[in-house]
Amino acid sequence: MKKFELTTESIFVHGRKLYRIRAVKDFGDVKKGDLGGFVETEDNLSQTDDAWVYGKAMVYGKARVCGEARVYGNAEVYGNAEVCGNARVYGNARVYGNARIHGNARVHGNAEVYGNAEVCGNARVRGNARVYGNARVYENAWVYENAWVCGNARVYGKAKVCRNAWVYENARICESNDYATVTGFGSQLRTTTFFRQKDNSLGVKCGCFSGTMEEFKDKVTETHGDNKYAKEYLMIAALMELHFKEEG
């Protein structure tokens, strides 16, 4: 037996017609007759478990919500995205592309997860954070405030990536001391992120630049010569090399 039906109440989003759903039986915390959020087709929400879309939340395209998952607030799930397990997506969060949210993961605030990204375990993505590309955030990791995690980066363990940090490519952040940010230096007062990579070398993201520590130092010299900004950046690079040097 189905657990919900499409009502005649509808809205248009990006040229797609979405319908409000209504429960036709009791399940989970939902009672027969309760109105839910909006879906494009019945395929967007499983009919066989306790998953639900609430209030103003929207699920459309080929996206799917299943298991014990909940989507609520003003959240949107679309594209080929999947929210399953005991996951929660809420607030103004958006999950799209081929992204997958599962386990006990939470995505909320103004956060966005997209591309082929995956958030699972007890991970949290919130604030204005972005997780995209082939990135994975899992176990007990948090990504929040204005942080971005992308490329093939992995954030896991008890790591907390926050502020304006930008973690990308082959970064592996297991603990919060696997990365560091420095803000307010250089001609543009940029935030520069230093982090451990898969091979234990140091990666650097600064404005449009992304590369290894050695490439960063070469770029600083090429761009700034011997001026004040070059000296500041090279001093910071030396500090970061000391910071990440393993005791022994």
Side-chain angles (χ1 to χ4, degrees):
M1 178 182 176
K2 290 184 178 182
K3 69 182 185 186
F4 75 92
E5 63 184 2
L6 305 182
T7 69
T8 57
E9 182 184 352
S10 63
I11 58 173
F12 283 89
V13 178
H14 305 306
R16 295 177 179 271
K17 189 175 184 179
L18 277 57
Y19 300 89
R20 188 177 290 282
I21 58 175
R22 177 169 51 222
V24 295
K25 68 175 185 177
D26 295 348
F27 60 93
D29 63 352
V30 179
K31 301 300 180 184
K32 181 178 179 179
D34 284 355
L35 293 174
F38 293 86
V39 302
E40 186 172 4
T41 72
E42 288 189 8
D43 291 337
N44 294 133
L45 177 63
S46 171
Q47 289 276 15
T48 60
D49 47 39
D50 289 343
W52 192 241
V53 179
Y54 297 79
K56 297 180 180 179
M58 296 178 285
V59 182
Y60 54 97
K62 295 183 178 180
R64 185 165 174 80
V65 179
C66 56
E68 306 292 322
R70 303 285 189 270
V71 179
Y72 54 100
N74 295 306
E76 294 183 42
V77 180
Y78 56 98
N80 294 304
E82 182 178 80
V83 181
C84 57
N86 195 41
R88 302 287 186 268
V89 177
Y90 56 101
N92 296 308
R94 295 201 299 161
V95 177
Y96 55 101
N98 295 307
R100 189 162 179 254
I101 315 298
H102 59 104
N104 292 308
R106 303 290 185 266
V107 179
H108 56 104
N110 295 309
E112 294 186 18
V113 180
Y114 55 99
N116 294 307
E118 182 179 4
V119 181
C120 58
N122 293 308
R124 302 289 185 267
V125 179
R126 60 182 175 86
N128 294 308
R130 302 288 183 269
V131 178
Y132 60 100
N134 295 308
R136 288 190 67 210
V137 180
Y138 56 105
E139 293 179 352
N140 295 301
W142 286 26
V143 179
Y144 59 106
E145 293 178 340
N146 296 307
W148 287 24
V149 177
C150 57
N152 294 308
R154 301 289 184 265
V155 178
Y156 58 104
K158 296 180 180 179
K160 288 182 169 56
V161 178
C162 58
R163 299 188 181 91
N164 295 307
W166 193 334
V167 178
Y168 75 111
E169 290 187 356
N170 293 310
R172 296 294 185 272
I173 310 298
C174 179
E175 299 290 343
S176 295
N177 60 4
D178 284 336
Y179 86 100
T181 59
V182 179
T183 302
F185 288 88
S187 57
Q188 303 297 318
L189 303 180
R190 299 186 191 282
T191 294
T192 304
T193 306
F194 300 84
F195 53 88
R196 293 189 192 279
Q197 301 191 99
K198 186 176 182 180
D199 61 2
N200 213 37
S201 64
L202 292 183
V204 185
K205 174 65 181 174
C206 184
C208 295
F209 172 85
S210 58
T212 65
M213 178 65 89
E214 292 307 314
E215 290 169 339
F216 174 68
K217 290 189 286 188
D218 289 343
K219 187 65 175 179
V220 166
T221 301
E222 175 189 328
T223 304
H224 297 290
D226 192 40
N227 68 14
K228 172 188 174 182
Y229 300 127
K231 292 175 182 177
E232 286 182 344
Y233 275 132
L234 293 176
M235 289 175 70
I236 291 168
L239 174 63
M240 290 298 109
E241 288 175 323
L242 176 62
H243 174 73
F244 284 100
K245 183 178 180 181
E246 294 184 358
E247 295 289 342

